[in-house]
Amino acid sequence: RKLLSLKKLRYFVLDESDKLLTYADMKRDVIELFVKTPIDKQVLLFSATFSPETKALAAKVFQNPAEVLIDDQSKLVLDGIH
């Protein structure tokens, strides 16, 4: 059985994090992985919506969290993607 070493992990990225942190079994799995990673990693959570509970968890767990909002009127354009 092969194991993945997390010792050199630099980024912890969750897409659709609102959904991953809503369901108890998924939340447990994410937290279990999170605590096994280096403390000095950068954490990125992506979601179209964040519940108050998810925001509270981020404020409690992360150091200096920043929130980036894109309003409904804006468009996010990625140049070079076809």
Side-chain angles (χ1 to χ4, degrees):
R1 177 174 156 175
K2 293 185 179 184
L3 298 176
L4 176 66
S5 173
L6 302 174
K7 288 191 275 188
K8 294 184 180 181
L9 185 102
R10 294 177 56 204
Y11 304 99
F12 191 90
V13 181
L14 290 179
D15 192 14
E16 298 296 338
S17 57
D18 58 327
K19 293 177 184 169
L20 292 172
L21 297 174
T22 298
Y23 302 107
D25 58 334
M26 296 283 278
K27 183 178 180 178
R28 184 189 64 241
D29 292 345
V30 168
I31 291 171
E32 183 180 332
L33 278 172
F34 183 83
V35 299
K36 292 180 179 179
T37 60
I39 197 159
D40 61 345
K41 64 191 166 287
Q42 182 176 5
V43 180
L44 299 112
L45 303 179
F46 294 96
S47 180
T49 59
F50 278 106
S51 68
E53 294 82 15
T54 302
K55 286 184 180 183
L57 177 66
K60 187 186 335 180
V61 174
F62 306 137
Q63 296 176 1
N64 304 317
E67 185 175 6
V68 177
L69 300 174
I70 300 174
D71 66 19
D72 291 17
Q73 305 293 319
S74 300
K75 289 185 177 182
L76 181 62
V77 178
L78 302 175
D79 291 330
I81 296 180
H82 302 281

